[in-house]
Amino acid sequence: MPNETGMLGVLDIAIIGGIAGLAVYYLIFRKKKEDSSSTEIKQLTVNSSVKTNRTDSFSSSFVSKMQASGRNVIVLYGSQTGTAEEFSSRLAKDAVRYGMKAMVADPEECELDEISKLADINNNLIIFCMATYGEGDPTDNAQELFEWLNDNGGGVELNDVNYAVFGLGNKTYEHYNAMGKLVDEKLQEMGATRVVELGLGDDDCNIEEDFVSWKEKLWPAVCERFNIDATASDISVRQYAVTEFTDTPEQKVFKGEPARLGSLKNQKPPFDQKNPFLAKIITNRELHNGGDRSCMHVEVDIEGSKLRYESGDHIAIYATNDSFLVDGIGKRLKIDLDTVFSLTNVDEDASKKYPFPCPTTYRTALTHYLDITSPLRTNVLKDLAEYAKDEEEKKQLLLMASSSNEGKELYNNWILKDHRHILAVLEDMPSLEPAIDHLCEILSRLQPRYYSISSSPKLHPTAVHITAVLVDWTTPTNRNQKGVATWYLKNKIPMENLQPTAPVFIRKSQFRLPFKPSTPVIMVGPGTGIAPFRGFIQDRAAQKRAGKPTGEMVLYFGCRHRAEDYLYEDELKEFVEEGVLSKLHVAFSRDQKDKIYVQHLLRENKQEVARLLRKESAHIYVCGDAKHMAHDVDLALQEALEAEENWTSQQAQDFLKTLRSRGRYSCDVWS
């Protein structure tokens, strides 16, 4: 028998020849391919699994990565809406101007114990941009950092580690900037050295000004600490390089998907923020009976999605920008909005390869991925200044981007008070002609909009209800300003031959009814603040109908006019008749000469309030406006307790503080 391992057959020779031929082809044509890659216009080749973040290549050993790439600064962010992440990127850019090299990282992707190893890097600095979410909670991506800090890092010491913290919060909330304060406190306890005072940004006032003022203190302090020149170079740093493509296969271009290419067409669970469910809008009806305002009741079908929700949770909507604004930007800049392009990070070691899913078109970027309706931030104005051909316009932009008092005042008046978004600035500064790719780089990301769910899965297991007021107003410059999400929903009207859809996901909340159905509750929710309480009431209705004993439910609701905007009036009255709602107190603020709000009704019913809170161990919930209503309700509760319990103001405050700490006083508020 022949030795089969020692001989080559005809087939073997053919295979070897084929491989050799491919090798020769590769060597000959590779140079041509490399030469063509330097041109701006390319034929597109893209992997269908292209994602926004480089999670595969981003090592959890961030210190090793910093050492290998000559970096001495790292910026970690805790972000729920994208602002903290945006501020982190701006800080990393600033570091370059002072001769340092920085990287931005998500703490969720880092091995936190490695923070102690920063001591091995000369002139090290770790900066935290930390937002506070809800009732003093960390953002989703900072949960592990929160736990690590509360455990004091498992005993690690941070001697010879330098740090700075900027917190993002809102003074109308009870636990203002709790996460930023916690990070600062714990890092000091662990031995780290604070380089500059804790920065506290207030989103209720002007968080942009707070941030700019803080970082103007940060860099001189850092330079002094490291004994380096504190003079910043006046350079514009581009983070991304643009490539435009021709003859692109449509199936390889992102069309609004948050992460995975084709995810909105080829739906695969589990569904979450990076992979939303394309839900059908099955109901969209008007709740107001007249007047010049509009409030929508929208029902979203989640059947078959495996999405689960509880009363008190939030539903997020990926809305799109108004096509009028998108077309306006394209027309003003004289560009073809349907050009396919990619923005790729020039830093190959960066954790984020693209600012948003790429490749895509300029139209898609402006429609789905970029915030084009908010007032511009100062860093955007500074970058835009280099494109101003008129010297006066350039000076104005640079002045507003500066930290001078004159610049801050001008920015506050011309940008914030007049609510100038990108198109408004372009229209009011005719000489401004920015490159569209640079504009796409510096504009903030469009974030999903969150709504308190106004239904219960006990009655509606396959549908999520939304209660939303249409946002529509005129700016001081006589421009129409529309709410991105509410106008998006307004146009989603189901018809016999048309089934509108919207990308959604569920965000869990701590805003929950007591575990025992027999526990009494007080609910205070004027306007659309009634949304989660409608779900709570439906929960209790289902429990009562199932024969379970249910506790007292007292609702304080408020609106302007009984005949116009009394939301869910018939439904609420039915719940009263059924015995689910024990009491229904409604304040109509403008049906009489003197305005009446929910806090006035709380004072009128102070005996009931004090009895439920003190003797019946009731839970109290507040939903709605944080700036005025929530504060006034809290004051009314204090006064009720002072009057009925004969307490001092301090005793009443301490009692309410105890209720909060025990989870008996919960707020779902916004400003």
Side-chain angles (χ1 to χ4, degrees):
M1 186 175 181
N3 185 350
E4 294 179 357
T5 60
M7 298 179 63
L8 293 175
V10 175
L11 180 60
D12 299 307
I13 293 171
I15 292 173
I16 292 172
I19 293 173
L22 287 172
V24 171
Y25 178 88
Y26 175 78
L27 291 172
I28 291 174
F29 290 99
R30 182 182 180 186
K31 177 63 178 173
K32 290 184 179 180
K33 183 177 180 181
E34 288 176 347
D35 291 344
S36 67
S37 67
S38 62
T39 60
E40 289 188 358
I41 308 298
K42 293 184 179 180
Q43 297 293 323
L44 177 65
T45 302
V46 60
N47 191 307
S48 62
S49 62
V50 169
K51 295 182 180 179
T52 303
N53 292 327
R54 294 183 181 181
T55 53
D56 292 337
S57 62
F58 186 72
S59 169
S60 61
S61 179
F62 63 88
V63 174
S64 298
K65 185 176 287 291
M66 291 173 68
Q67 291 171 325
S69 55
R71 289 172 166 82
N72 66 313
V73 181
I74 182 169
V75 191
L76 299 184
Y77 60 87
S79 187
Q80 199 72 27
T81 64
T83 305
E85 182 179 1
E86 178 189 329
F87 283 0
S88 297
S89 296
R90 289 167 63 177
L91 289 170
K93 281 187 177 182
D94 282 347
V96 176
R97 299 173 58 229
Y98 289 90
M100 290 172 270
K101 199 173 180 183
M103 68 185 297
V104 178
D106 183 337
E108 200 170 32
E109 297 178 1
C110 296
E111 183 58 53
L112 297 174
D113 286 342
E114 284 221 334
I115 292 176
S116 62
K117 295 181 182 179
L118 285 170
D120 298 333
I121 298 177
N122 187 41
N123 288 345
N124 68 78
L125 175 65
I126 182 168
I127 306 175
F128 293 85
C129 283
M130 308 306 297
T132 298
Y133 166 65
E135 294 292 291
D137 300 320
T139 58
D140 293 342
N141 76 310
Q143 184 64 44
E144 291 180 21
L145 174 64
F146 175 77
E147 295 169 0
W148 184 81
L149 289 168
N150 279 318
D151 188 39
N152 291 316
V156 301
E157 295 183 355
L158 301 183
N159 300 326
D160 299 320
V161 173
N162 303 296
Y163 80 92
V165 180
F166 183 78
L168 296 85
N170 190 308
K171 278 187 177 177
T172 59
Y173 287 74
E174 170 74 13
H175 304 282
Y176 173 59
N177 258 314
M179 190 60 184
K181 293 174 183 177
L182 174 76
V183 173
D184 180 58
E185 176 188 336
K186 290 295 183 180
L187 290 176
Q188 284 194 77
E189 290 178 4
M190 296 161 72
T193 301
R194 184 207 284 154
V195 175
V196 71
E197 66 184 32
L198 168 67
L200 299 177
D202 181 13
D203 195 39
D204 183 55
C205 188
N206 186 343
I207 199 167
E208 173 71 15
E209 182 177 316
D210 295 336
F211 176 66
V212 171
S213 298
W214 176 79
K215 72 187 185 79
E216 289 294 327
K217 299 174 185 175
L218 168 69
W219 295 116
V222 170
C223 292
E224 181 180 355
R225 173 75 178 170
F226 296 162
N227 195 27
I228 59 178
D229 186 7
T231 304
S233 59
D234 192 17
I235 57 174
S236 177
V237 181
R238 285 294 300 268
Q239 188 176 352
Y240 297 91
V242 66
T243 305
E244 293 185 347
F245 304 99
T246 59
D247 300 328
T248 310
E250 186 179 349
Q251 66 272 22
K252 293 184 178 181
V253 179
F254 282 90
K255 300 176 180 65
E257 304 94 326
R260 180 172 62 86
L261 184 64
S263 62
L264 296 178
K265 187 175 182 180
N266 302 311
Q267 294 263 276
K268 298 176 183 177
F271 297 107
D272 53 26
Q273 184 165 2
K274 292 183 179 180
N275 183 38
F277 176 63
L278 194 61
K280 296 176 181 177
I281 306 296
I282 54 178
T283 299
N284 190 339
R285 60 184 173 86
E286 177 63 49
L287 290 175
H288 286 179
N289 295 316
D292 57 358
R293 299 183 306 141
S294 172
C295 183
M296 298 170 288
H297 172 86
V298 178
E299 296 183 11
V300 178
D301 185 4
I302 59 170
E303 187 170 11
S305 67
K306 297 184 180 179
L307 286 173
R308 300 289 181 268
Y309 77 96
E310 297 295 330
S311 300
D313 285 344
H314 301 100
I315 184 170
I317 306 287
Y318 274 105
T320 56
N321 287 313
D322 190 339
S323 60
F324 175 80
L325 294 178
V326 174
D327 291 336
I329 294 171
K331 184 178 180 180
R332 170 64 177 78
L333 298 181
K334 302 181 179 64
I335 59 163
D336 179 4
L337 289 172
D338 296 314
T339 300
V340 177
F341 76 106
S342 277
L343 286 177
T344 307
N345 204 316
V346 296
D347 182 356
E348 293 184 355
D349 294 320
S351 60
K352 179 177 285 189
K353 185 175 182 180
Y354 310 107
F356 43 78
C358 291
T360 188
T361 65
Y362 291 118
R363 185 184 304 281
T364 299
L366 293 170
T367 302
H368 292 269
Y369 299 136
L370 298 172
D371 182 352
I372 61 173
T373 62
S374 296
L376 296 186
R377 296 197 184 278
T378 56
N379 65 303
V380 177
L381 299 177
K382 184 174 183 179
D383 281 4
L384 287 177
E386 68 179 88
Y387 296 102
K389 296 178 180 179
D390 181 89
E391 282 301 315
E392 288 303 314
E393 291 180 0
K394 185 173 185 176
K395 287 180 182 178
Q396 182 179 345
L397 288 167
L398 289 175
L399 179 60
M400 290 188 290
S402 73
S403 58
S404 69
N405 290 333
E406 183 185 359
K408 289 177 180 178
E409 183 178 1
L410 181 60
Y411 174 77
N412 188 60
N413 291 327
W414 203 78
I415 294 292
L416 295 184
K417 288 185 179 179
D418 286 350
H419 200 93
R420 279 186 171 87
H421 47 53
I422 180 60
L423 182 56
V425 170
L426 290 173
E427 289 174 342
D428 292 345
M429 291 191 162
S431 80
L432 199 55
E433 295 182 7
I436 183 61
D437 60 281
H438 197 176
L439 199 61
C440 290
E441 175 181 330
I442 59 180
L443 288 175
S444 302
R445 280 292 301 271
L446 180 62
Q447 299 295 325
R449 267 41 175 190
Y450 295 92
Y451 293 94
S452 297
I453 294 174
S454 61
S455 57
S456 163
K458 291 181 172 61
L459 294 188
H460 304 280
T462 62
V464 171
H465 297 185
I466 299 171
T467 307
V469 168
L470 189 68
V471 177
D472 187 8
W473 57 286
T474 302
T475 71
T477 61
N478 205 33
R479 290 181 169 95
N480 183 232
Q481 184 71 22
K482 297 178 179 179
V484 175
T486 53
W487 276 88
Y488 173 80
L489 289 173
K490 176 182 171 60
N491 296 319
K492 300 285 184 178
I493 307 293
M495 300 180 183
E496 186 175 341
N497 58 348
L498 178 64
Q499 184 65 72
T501 58
V504 305
F505 64 92
I506 303 296
R507 185 175 71 183
K508 294 298 179 182
S509 168
Q510 300 300 316
F511 202 67
R512 291 279 187 269
L513 274 172
F515 179 74
K516 293 182 179 179
S518 58
T519 303
V521 296
I522 301 172
M523 302 168 291
V524 184
T528 56
I530 194 176
F533 302 138
R534 183 171 179 265
F536 283 7
I537 296 166
Q538 290 179 3
D539 258 5
R540 285 283 175 93
Q543 291 165 337
K544 187 177 182 67
R545 292 165 191 172
K548 295 180 180 179
T550 56
E552 289 183 65
M553 286 198 96
V554 180
L555 173 64
Y556 287 83
F557 172 68
C559 60
R560 294 183 181 181
H561 303 284
R562 178 191 290 272
E564 289 183 6
D565 54 353
Y566 189 170
L567 305 183
Y568 304 111
E569 178 182 5
D570 294 339
E571 190 176 307
L572 293 176
K573 289 178 178 178
E574 288 176 6
F575 283 126
V576 172
E577 293 173 3
E578 190 178 347
V580 177
L581 269 178
S582 312
K583 295 281 183 64
L584 173 60
H585 303 291
V586 185
F588 303 105
S589 62
R590 304 186 186 185
D591 275 350
Q592 61 285 313
K593 181 180 178 181
D594 296 323
K595 293 181 179 179
I596 298 175
Y597 297 110
V598 287
Q599 58 266 29
H600 297 125
L601 300 188
L602 284 166
R603 291 188 178 95
E604 287 180 11
N605 295 279
K606 57 187 177 182
Q607 290 182 339
E608 175 187 78
V609 170
R611 174 183 64 82
L612 287 169
L613 293 179
R614 285 280 290 147
K615 297 179 181 179
E616 305 297 335
S617 298
H619 288 222
I620 184 164
Y621 302 88
V622 180
C623 183
D625 167 54
K627 192 168 186 177
H628 301 293
M629 183 275 297
H631 175 267
D632 292 342
V633 165
D634 191 73
L635 188 60
L637 294 174
Q638 288 182 39
E639 293 174 1
L641 291 165
E642 289 171 30
E644 295 303 309
E645 301 298 325
N646 196 26
W647 281 350
T648 64
S649 175
Q650 189 59 53
Q651 285 176 312
Q653 289 177 35
D654 290 344
F655 176 74
L656 293 175
K657 188 175 182 179
T658 300
L659 291 188
R660 289 190 183 93
S661 66
R662 294 179 179 177
R664 286 180 52 200
Y665 186 173
S666 302
C667 296
D668 181 4
V669 292
W670 55 85
S671 60

